[in-house]
Amino acid sequence: MPADTDLGGKVALVTGGSRGIGAATALRLARQGADVAVTYAGNKEAAEDVVRALRALGRRAVALRADAADAGEAAGAVERAAAFGDGLDILVNNAGVGLLGPLEGLSPADVDRVLAVNVRGVFLASQAAASRMTEGGRIITVGSCTALRVPGPGATLYAMSKAALVGLTKALARELGPRGITANIVHPGPIDTDMNPADGPYADGQAAMTALGRFGTAGEVASMVAYLAGAAYVTGAEFVVDGGHAA
Ligand code: NDP
Protein backbone atom coordinates (compact mmCIF):
# COMPACT_ATOMS: atom_id res chain seq x y z
CA MET A 1 0.00 0.00 0.00
CA PRO A 2 1.36 3.48 -0.84
CA ALA A 3 2.39 5.96 1.84
CA ASP A 4 -0.43 7.62 3.75
CA THR A 5 -2.01 10.47 1.80
CA ASP A 6 -1.96 13.88 3.42
CA LEU A 7 -5.62 14.73 4.02
CA GLY A 8 -4.84 18.18 5.43
CA GLY A 9 -7.59 20.66 4.50
CA LYS A 10 -10.09 17.88 3.75
CA VAL A 11 -13.40 17.52 5.56
CA ALA A 12 -14.80 14.05 6.28
CA LEU A 13 -18.10 12.76 7.60
CA VAL A 14 -18.05 9.31 9.19
CA THR A 15 -21.52 7.97 9.95
CA GLY A 16 -21.66 5.85 13.07
CA GLY A 17 -18.33 7.30 14.15
CA SER A 18 -18.93 7.00 17.87
CA ARG A 19 -17.74 3.40 18.22
CA GLY A 20 -16.06 0.48 16.49
CA ILE A 21 -14.95 0.73 12.87
CA GLY A 22 -16.38 4.25 12.51
CA ALA A 23 -14.48 5.63 15.50
CA ALA A 24 -11.23 4.04 14.31
CA THR A 25 -11.82 5.47 10.84
CA ALA A 26 -12.50 8.97 12.16
CA LEU A 27 -9.24 8.86 14.13
CA ARG A 28 -7.28 7.50 11.20
CA LEU A 29 -8.53 10.21 8.82
CA ALA A 30 -7.75 12.85 11.43
CA ARG A 31 -4.24 11.48 11.94
CA GLN A 32 -3.76 12.01 8.21
CA GLY A 33 -4.92 15.61 8.55
CA ALA A 34 -8.68 15.67 7.93
CA ASP A 35 -11.24 17.59 9.95
CA VAL A 36 -13.96 15.13 10.89
CA ALA A 37 -17.67 15.10 11.70
CA VAL A 38 -19.08 11.91 13.18
CA THR A 39 -22.68 10.87 13.56
CA TYR A 40 -24.12 8.71 16.29
CA ALA A 41 -27.54 7.26 16.99
CA GLY A 42 -27.89 7.43 20.75
CA ASN A 43 -24.48 7.07 22.34
CA LYS A 44 -23.63 10.73 22.90
CA GLU A 45 -20.94 10.04 25.48
CA ALA A 46 -18.98 7.76 23.15
CA ALA A 47 -19.32 10.28 20.32
CA GLU A 48 -18.02 13.07 22.56
CA ASP A 49 -15.05 10.91 23.56
CA VAL A 50 -14.20 10.48 19.88
CA VAL A 51 -14.50 14.22 19.28
CA ARG A 52 -12.13 14.91 22.20
CA ALA A 53 -9.61 12.47 20.71
CA LEU A 54 -9.93 14.10 17.28
CA ARG A 55 -9.40 17.55 18.73
CA ALA A 56 -6.40 16.28 20.69
CA LEU A 57 -4.87 15.53 17.28
CA GLY A 58 -5.30 19.19 16.41
CA ARG A 59 -8.25 18.73 14.09
CA ARG A 60 -11.64 20.38 13.99
CA ALA A 61 -14.29 17.86 14.97
CA VAL A 62 -17.99 17.67 15.74
CA ALA A 63 -20.44 14.98 16.83
CA LEU A 64 -23.88 15.04 15.21
CA ARG A 65 -26.83 13.03 16.48
CA ALA A 66 -28.46 11.63 13.36
CA ASP A 67 -30.44 8.42 13.15
CA ALA A 68 -29.63 6.85 9.80
CA ALA A 69 -33.02 5.11 9.92
CA ASP A 70 -34.69 8.49 9.52
CA ALA A 71 -34.62 9.69 5.91
CA GLY A 72 -34.42 13.37 6.84
CA GLU A 73 -31.67 12.85 9.41
CA ALA A 74 -29.59 10.67 7.08
CA ALA A 75 -29.43 13.37 4.43
CA GLY A 76 -29.46 16.18 6.99
CA ALA A 77 -26.27 14.89 8.61
CA VAL A 78 -24.44 15.53 5.34
CA GLU A 79 -25.74 19.09 5.20
CA ARG A 80 -24.74 19.68 8.82
CA ALA A 81 -21.27 18.24 8.25
CA ALA A 82 -20.82 20.39 5.15
CA ALA A 83 -21.89 23.46 7.13
CA PHE A 84 -19.40 22.54 9.87
CA GLY A 85 -16.56 22.04 7.38
CA ASP A 86 -17.56 24.62 4.81
CA GLY A 87 -17.83 21.79 2.28
CA LEU A 88 -17.42 18.03 2.27
CA ASP A 89 -14.66 15.96 0.67
CA ILE A 90 -15.04 12.48 2.14
CA LEU A 91 -18.16 10.57 3.13
CA VAL A 92 -17.71 7.28 4.96
CA ASN A 93 -21.00 5.39 5.07
CA ASN A 94 -20.24 3.24 8.08
CA ALA A 95 -23.36 3.25 10.28
CA GLY A 96 -25.04 -0.10 10.10
CA VAL A 97 -27.05 -2.59 12.08
CA GLY A 98 -26.53 -6.32 12.15
CA LEU A 99 -29.70 -8.31 12.60
CA LEU A 100 -29.08 -12.03 12.30
CA GLY A 101 -31.58 -14.83 12.81
CA PRO A 102 -33.60 -17.55 11.14
CA LEU A 103 -35.59 -16.51 8.09
CA GLU A 104 -38.93 -17.44 9.63
CA GLY A 105 -38.31 -15.17 12.63
CA LEU A 106 -37.80 -11.95 10.69
CA SER A 107 -40.78 -9.59 10.62
CA PRO A 108 -41.65 -6.95 8.02
CA ALA A 109 -40.65 -4.37 10.64
CA ASP A 110 -37.21 -6.02 10.91
CA VAL A 111 -36.83 -5.81 7.15
CA ASP A 112 -37.84 -2.14 7.12
CA ARG A 113 -35.50 -1.27 9.98
CA VAL A 114 -32.41 -2.97 8.52
CA LEU A 115 -33.00 -1.64 5.01
CA ALA A 116 -33.67 1.87 6.35
CA VAL A 117 -30.31 2.04 8.15
CA ASN A 118 -28.09 -0.15 5.98
CA VAL A 119 -29.41 0.81 2.54
CA ARG A 120 -31.75 3.83 2.42
CA GLY A 121 -29.59 5.83 4.83
CA VAL A 122 -26.51 5.12 2.73
CA PHE A 123 -28.32 6.04 -0.48
CA LEU A 124 -29.63 9.33 0.92
CA ALA A 125 -26.33 10.33 2.50
CA SER A 126 -24.49 9.54 -0.74
CA GLN A 127 -27.03 11.51 -2.74
CA ALA A 128 -26.69 14.51 -0.44
CA ALA A 129 -22.89 14.23 -0.47
CA ALA A 130 -22.78 14.00 -4.26
CA SER A 131 -24.66 17.27 -4.52
CA ARG A 132 -22.08 18.93 -2.24
CA MET A 133 -18.84 17.37 -3.43
CA THR A 134 -16.54 18.73 -6.07
CA GLU A 135 -13.69 17.10 -8.01
CA GLY A 136 -11.72 14.80 -5.69
CA GLY A 137 -14.75 13.84 -3.59
CA ARG A 138 -14.70 10.36 -2.05
CA ILE A 139 -17.64 8.16 -1.08
CA ILE A 140 -16.51 5.09 0.85
CA THR A 141 -19.09 2.60 2.07
CA VAL A 142 -18.64 -0.13 4.65
CA GLY A 143 -20.27 -3.31 3.37
CA SER A 144 -19.62 -6.79 4.72
CA CYS A 145 -17.96 -10.03 3.70
CA THR A 146 -21.49 -11.47 3.73
CA ALA A 147 -22.20 -9.43 0.59
CA LEU A 148 -19.78 -11.77 -1.19
CA ARG A 149 -20.09 -15.09 0.54
CA VAL A 150 -22.51 -16.21 3.24
CA PRO A 151 -20.80 -18.75 5.48
CA GLY A 152 -23.89 -20.11 7.25
CA PRO A 153 -27.60 -19.65 8.00
CA GLY A 154 -29.19 -16.63 9.69
CA ALA A 155 -27.87 -13.86 7.48
CA THR A 156 -30.63 -13.38 4.88
CA LEU A 157 -31.61 -9.84 5.83
CA TYR A 158 -28.14 -8.56 6.70
CA ALA A 159 -26.49 -10.08 3.60
CA MET A 160 -29.25 -8.70 1.37
CA SER A 161 -28.76 -5.22 2.79
CA LYS A 162 -24.99 -5.28 2.35
CA ALA A 163 -25.16 -6.77 -1.15
CA ALA A 164 -27.38 -3.86 -2.19
CA LEU A 165 -24.50 -1.53 -1.35
CA VAL A 166 -22.30 -3.18 -3.97
CA GLY A 167 -24.76 -2.21 -6.70
CA LEU A 168 -25.11 1.28 -5.28
CA THR A 169 -21.34 1.75 -5.16
CA LYS A 170 -20.76 0.68 -8.75
CA ALA A 171 -23.63 2.83 -9.99
CA LEU A 172 -22.36 5.83 -8.02
CA ALA A 173 -18.91 5.32 -9.53
CA ARG A 174 -20.39 5.45 -13.03
CA GLU A 175 -22.59 8.45 -12.29
CA LEU A 176 -20.04 10.54 -10.41
CA GLY A 177 -16.87 9.52 -12.27
CA PRO A 178 -17.24 12.28 -14.87
CA ARG A 179 -17.12 14.78 -11.99
CA GLY A 180 -13.91 13.26 -10.56
CA ILE A 181 -15.71 11.79 -7.53
CA THR A 182 -14.95 8.18 -6.60
CA ALA A 183 -17.12 5.57 -4.85
CA ASN A 184 -15.79 2.36 -3.36
CA ILE A 185 -16.87 -0.27 -0.87
CA VAL A 186 -14.91 -2.03 1.87
CA HIS A 187 -16.06 -5.46 3.04
CA PRO A 188 -14.89 -6.26 6.57
CA GLY A 189 -14.78 -9.83 7.83
CA PRO A 190 -15.15 -10.52 11.56
CA ILE A 191 -13.94 -7.37 13.31
CA ASP A 192 -13.73 -7.05 17.08
CA THR A 193 -16.30 -4.38 17.98
CA ASP A 194 -19.39 -4.06 20.16
CA MET A 195 -21.41 -5.43 17.23
CA ASN A 196 -19.27 -8.55 16.93
CA PRO A 197 -17.00 -9.00 19.95
CA ALA A 198 -14.03 -11.34 19.56
CA ASP A 199 -15.10 -13.03 22.80
CA GLY A 200 -18.77 -13.35 21.76
CA PRO A 201 -20.69 -16.63 21.59
CA TYR A 202 -20.09 -17.13 17.83
CA ALA A 203 -16.57 -15.73 17.74
CA ASP A 204 -14.55 -18.93 17.67
CA GLY A 205 -16.38 -20.23 14.60
CA GLN A 206 -15.89 -16.94 12.76
CA ALA A 207 -12.19 -16.77 13.58
CA ALA A 208 -11.75 -20.37 12.45
CA MET A 209 -13.27 -19.51 9.06
CA THR A 210 -10.58 -16.94 8.35
CA ALA A 211 -7.26 -17.93 6.80
CA LEU A 212 -5.43 -15.99 9.52
CA GLY A 213 -7.39 -17.63 12.33
CA ARG A 214 -8.32 -14.43 14.13
CA PHE A 215 -10.66 -11.45 14.27
CA GLY A 216 -9.52 -8.22 12.67
CA THR A 217 -9.27 -4.89 14.43
CA ALA A 218 -11.27 -1.77 13.64
CA GLY A 219 -7.96 -0.07 12.82
CA GLU A 220 -7.24 -2.65 10.13
CA VAL A 221 -10.46 -1.68 8.36
CA ALA A 222 -9.82 2.02 8.95
CA SER A 223 -6.48 1.82 7.16
CA MET A 224 -8.21 0.57 3.99
CA VAL A 225 -10.79 3.35 4.21
CA ALA A 226 -7.98 5.89 4.65
CA TYR A 227 -6.19 4.49 1.61
CA LEU A 228 -9.36 4.97 -0.46
CA ALA A 229 -9.75 8.50 0.86
CA GLY A 230 -6.51 9.30 -0.91
CA ALA A 231 -6.82 7.12 -4.00
CA ALA A 232 -7.66 9.13 -7.13
CA TYR A 233 -7.75 6.34 -9.74
CA VAL A 234 -9.74 3.72 -7.84
CA THR A 235 -13.50 3.68 -8.19
CA GLY A 236 -16.43 1.27 -8.37
CA ALA A 237 -14.28 -1.31 -6.60
CA GLU A 238 -14.72 -3.74 -3.71
CA PHE A 239 -12.01 -4.21 -1.07
CA VAL A 240 -12.11 -7.19 1.24
CA VAL A 241 -10.55 -6.84 4.70
CA ASP A 242 -11.48 -10.21 6.15
CA GLY A 243 -8.37 -12.13 7.13
CA GLY A 244 -9.08 -14.55 4.32
CA HIS A 245 -12.67 -15.31 5.37
CA ALA A 246 -13.68 -15.46 1.69
CA ALA A 247 -10.53 -17.21 0.44
P1 NDP B 1 -20.70 -1.05 16.27
O1 NDP B 1 -22.01 -1.63 16.68
O2 NDP B 1 -19.51 -1.30 17.10
O3 NDP B 1 -20.86 0.51 16.02
C1 NDP B 1 -21.96 0.94 15.27
C2 NDP B 1 -21.87 2.43 15.06
O4 NDP B 1 -22.93 2.80 14.19
C3 NDP B 1 -22.03 3.22 16.34
O5 NDP B 1 -21.27 4.39 16.21
C4 NDP B 1 -23.52 3.52 16.35
O6 NDP B 1 -23.87 4.71 17.05
C5 NDP B 1 -23.77 3.72 14.87
N1 NDP B 1 -25.15 3.46 14.49
C6 NDP B 1 -25.88 2.33 14.66
N2 NDP B 1 -27.13 2.50 14.22
C7 NDP B 1 -27.20 3.78 13.77
C8 NDP B 1 -28.23 4.58 13.23
N3 NDP B 1 -29.46 4.10 13.06
N4 NDP B 1 -27.94 5.86 12.90
C9 NDP B 1 -26.71 6.37 13.09
N5 NDP B 1 -25.69 5.67 13.60
C10 NDP B 1 -25.94 4.39 13.95
O7 NDP B 1 -20.49 -1.62 14.77
P2 NDP B 1 -19.18 -1.93 13.91
O8 NDP B 1 -18.16 -0.90 14.12
O9 NDP B 1 -18.85 -3.36 14.12
O10 NDP B 1 -19.81 -1.84 12.45
C11 NDP B 1 -19.61 -0.72 11.60
C12 NDP B 1 -20.01 -1.13 10.20
O11 NDP B 1 -19.24 -2.25 9.80
C13 NDP B 1 -21.47 -1.56 10.06
O12 NDP B 1 -21.98 -1.10 8.83
C14 NDP B 1 -21.39 -3.07 10.04
O13 NDP B 1 -22.47 -3.67 9.38
C15 NDP B 1 -20.07 -3.28 9.32
N6 NDP B 1 -19.46 -4.58 9.55
C16 NDP B 1 -19.00 -4.95 10.79
C17 NDP B 1 -18.41 -6.18 10.98
C18 NDP B 1 -17.90 -6.66 12.29
O14 NDP B 1 -17.54 -7.85 12.38
N7 NDP B 1 -17.82 -5.84 13.30
C19 NDP B 1 -18.27 -7.12 9.84
C20 NDP B 1 -18.75 -6.63 8.60
C21 NDP B 1 -19.33 -5.40 8.47
P3 NDP B 1 -24.17 4.69 18.66
O15 NDP B 1 -22.81 4.62 19.32
O16 NDP B 1 -24.87 5.98 18.92
O17 NDP B 1 -25.01 3.50 18.93
Side-chain angles (χ1 to χ4, degrees), residues 61-84:
V62 67
L64 307 170
R65 208 206 74 79
D67 183 355
D70 180 290
E73 292 186 23
V78 172
E79 301 307 327
R80 292 159 71 198
F84 148 81

Side-chain angles (χ1 to χ4, degrees), residues 80-99:
R80 292 159 71 198
F84 148 81
D86 198 20
L88 183 70
D89 303 289
I90 301 160
L91 169 65
V92 182
N93 287 308
N94 165 78
V97 288
L99 181 56

Side-chain angles (χ1 to χ4, degrees), residues 17-19 38-53 55 62-66 80:
S18 46
R19 291 183 288 123
V38 296
T39 68
Y40 63 98
N43 206 330
K44 188 174 181 191
E45 236 170 72
E48 284 175 348
D49 283 348
V50 171
V51 164
R52 268 190 289 278
R55 289 182 182 151
V62 67
L64 307 170
R65 208 206 74 79
R80 292 159 71 198

Side-chain angles (χ1 to χ4, degrees), residues 54-126:
L54 295 169
R55 289 182 182 151
L57 291 168
R59 307 292 168 244
R60 292 193 308 138
V62 67
L64 307 170
R65 208 206 74 79
D67 183 355
D70 180 290
E73 292 186 23
V78 172
E79 301 307 327
R80 292 159 71 198
F84 148 81
D86 198 20
L88 183 70
D89 303 289
I90 301 160
L91 169 65
V92 182
N93 287 308
N94 165 78
V97 288
L99 181 56
L100 302 174
L103 179 61
E104 62 273 17
L106 297 168
S107 68
D110 291 333
V111 176
D112 286 348
R113 166 83 190 158
V114 170
L115 293 184
V117 177
N118 290 8
V119 182
R120 187 181 65 186
V122 174
F123 179 92
L124 294 173
S126 301

Side-chain angles (χ1 to χ4, degrees), residues 150-174:
V150 179
T156 49
L157 182 49
Y158 184 66
M160 175 175 73
S161 72
K162 292 298 190 176
L165 301 177
V166 175
L168 173 62
T169 298
K170 290 172 191 276
L172 283 172
R174 287 290 180 189

Side-chain angles (χ1 to χ4, degrees), residues 195-226:
M195 182 190 281
N196 189 14
D199 59 359
Y202 307 106
D204 289 348
Q206 292 180 70
M209 268 185 247
T210 68
L212 295 175
R214 68 167 176 87
F215 268 51
T217 66
E220 286 169 327
V221 181
S223 64
M224 178 59 82
V225 175

